[in-house]
Amino acid sequence: MSIRYETRGPVAVLTMDNPPVNGLGHAVRTGLREGLERAELDPGVTAIVITGAGKAFSGGADITEFKSGKQLLEPSLRVVIRALEASTKPVVAAIHSVAMGGGLELALGCHFRVVAKGTKIALPEVKLGLLPGAGGTQRLPRAIGLETAANLIASGETVLAEALAKTALFDRVVDGDVLEGALAFAEEVVREKRPLKRLCDVKVEHPNAQGFLQFARNTVTTMSKNFPAPLVCLEAVAASTGPFDAGLRKEGELFQKLMATPESRALRHFFFAERAASKIGDVPPDTTLRPVKQVAIIGAGTMGGGIAMSFANAGIPVTLLEVKPEALDKGLGTIRKNYESSFKKGKLTEEKMAQRLALIQGTLSYDGIAQADLVIEAVFEELGVKEKVFTALDQVMKPGAILASNTSTLDLNKIAAFTKRPGDVVGLHFFSPANVMKLLEVVRGAKTSKDVLATVMDLAKKIGKTAVVSGVCDGFIGNRMIERYSIQASFLLEEGALPSQVDRALEQWGMAMGPFRMGDLAGNDIGWAIRKRLYVEHPELVYSKIGDKLCELGRFGQKTGKGWYLYEPGRRDAIVDPSVDEMVLAYSKELGITRRAISDEEIVERCIFALINEGAKIVEEGIAQRASDIDVVYLSGYGFPIHRGGPMLYADEVGLVNVVAAMRRYARISRGDSKFWEPAPLLAKLAAEGRSFHG
Ligand code: NAI
């Protein structure tokens, strides 16, 4: 039952009951319309109250209905709202906890609104590249004024009901039980024979509406690069200054227009992809989790410190273990400095800083961590060092403790084999800085047990991370793909491009940072070390040696003040270095290459299509559970432009057949291994069948 109907004296109460947040799916909409009709026809009913059961008034539309992009089943929310508005008996919304999107639009269709203090109010559709399409852009300005409504609708931001208490949005703000408050209010309305207030009858008043709207358009245009929705939201709000019905028609047209944009498709895709990523095919959702109340981290370096902060920020106590007191002091000192800097910037209160610091302890002895429920190793990236650590952990850790490694390149199965409990071993690949980056690759070893996986996926959510499961392979999902991208970036230099051109082309396309600026940030020596290992392990792979040349000059990036670019002390702005350009030209000459002009389009396609092809292999091999998981990795960890929806969705948008055709073209003209551009079997098959990665 999605709607409960009951009478409280002369008032009919319609309670939406569709956990978790009373999403306005088809059954709820039908139930509301039927309940309204029943109340209208019952002569004993003098007023109607609408509320939500559980922890929300309503979180809004049932977004799964948007997924297909098809027309919604009738009655649409608009039809339900029209019926509420047209009711001859007073309709009062009893709003509490959360009224968002369609939930707020529903409330706007009621004649009166009683709200509980602390209720969160928003029309967040713009965050999915859409606009509120059930009259929200027309009724909200009539309730709270043009400017505040434009702000809320174009930003999608959430406000507390109290902030809008003095507007016509709320007739009463209550502290206690909102249903009781609404019932009392409804009886008052009936007793006093108050006229019904319909927002559709209100006129939007503003001394200079056109002037304000022009100002708002200018502001939104500069702030919403790559996203059409905020500006279109404003167009819909602008229509609220005219007649209501015309405005509603305009809103409908603009909604359909946004629904068809690739940007909205990308945002909706990411929304669903993130949710899908948290599910593991063969791990039942009701798997019993292991309790994780105390965490230990081995190694207090760059990663160990950041990981410790992630747990402390979520209120989970952490102990850091180091071998040498100096290293421990240094690690704890860095953590303290990081918190102090957040405090100085006003991002953290003194009290919170103290609480978090108190949750982080240091130790030099394994005895100090034996009782931890989860231990994460973040020591040097050498198998021998990992072996020592895991052998020790196997001996000291209590039974049932989860043993995790933050390794970024080593074989997790080998690490698990250093213990007698490989089922308890899992990879937790955090990204740097670990207290900031949202992405967490959960690496599933051949023997990792299901409850360990379920536990770490749940824990990831608790510490605010977006977790994606990866199988064991070199580089896991993200770094394995980025390696292919970097290979193309380097060959482009040999063939005719310069580092700044490659970076600019990809940044203009939307990447947060081009490959060479990214290398300078992460440290070019890291990639160099990995390549040196791969030269031995995989002599068949063909690499450009241009990055090695740079590293031989000690140009490791920002940390050495110079890499592909120059950096002034204490600054991160990349300054083009003519000597690097000369080095690139000289290297082409040394290889006997006649350099050619390379277009930005070629740069983008070669780098991005290289990612896509490796992504296809990763899906085919089962390293990723689904193509959308790869998109989540790239959107949350690699600065891939959100409006393009991740590499795999982007491939679908381009058309897989076009991706394959371009790859064949690049196989003829680009340097390197001719096999590089061989389409992955899955990509070739889907392209030949005219299909896409996401079906
Ligand atoms: P780091 O060099 O900053 O820190 C390593 C720390 O481990 C040092 O403080 C060292 O004293 C300590 N250590 C070494 N041997 C130890 C032992 N036997 N017992 C206890 N402590 C020991 O290295 P970083 O960058 O933090 O990397 C750690 C791990 O995280 C590596 O496996 C690395 O591949 C991985 N990783 C690194 C990322 C990065 O961007 N730096 C990103 C993701 C993973």
Side-chain angles (χ1 to χ4, degrees), residues 297-305 307 321-324 327-328 330-331 366 377-382 385-386 388-389 405-410 428-433 479 522 526:
I297 294 166
I298 315 295
T302 312
M303 294 308 289
I307 298 169
L321 182 145
E322 272 280 351
V323 264
K324 295 198 186 114
L328 185 59
K330 188 172 167 223
Y366 276 86
E377 163 279 309
V379 301
F380 301 136
E381 187 74 340
E382 284 166 34
V385 186
K386 308 276 189 203
K388 271 192 205 131
V389 170
S405 172
N406 183 48
T407 181
S408 42
T409 52
L410 300 173
L428 290 181
H429 184 216
F430 287 83
F431 288 72
S432 181
N479 286 344
I526 295 181

